[in-house]
Amino acid sequence: MAKWYAAEVGVKVVDSALQLHGGYGYIDEYDISRFYRDAKIVEIYEGVKEVGKTCYRAPPGQKDRSLFEEE
């Protein structure tokens, strides 16, 4: 659960920073482009995005108190 949360927050923070930099955020001369690539790799490589969401759901027959569904 902590791995999933850390990966998601990392991507959100770096995405906001990338938006702040605009087009310059994609140029390799700026560190933000590396930060964005690294954050996405952590999210994908760790396999926490979809697999983690599936593993943390309630067992069949119990009410699903999923933290992952947006309200």
Side-chain angles (χ1 to χ4, degrees), residues 17-37:
L18 187 67
Q19 293 295 322
L20 182 70
H21 282 82
Y24 289 111
Y26 294 101
I27 298 175
D28 288 336
E29 295 175 8
Y30 293 90
D31 289 334
I32 189 65
S33 66
R34 182 174 48 88
F35 296 153
Y36 186 74
R37 284 192 312 264

Side-chain angles (χ1 to χ4, degrees), residues 2 6 8-9 11-12 15 18-19 22 24 27 30 36 44-45 47 50-52 59-62 64-65 69:
E8 184 161 310
V9 169
V11 170
K12 285 182 182 180
D15 187 51
L18 187 67
Q19 293 295 322
Y24 289 111
I27 298 175
Y30 293 90
Y36 186 74
I44 294 167
Y45 180 73
E50 296 301 323
V51 175
Q62 291 184 1
D64 186 11
R65 296 183 190 174
E69 296 176 6

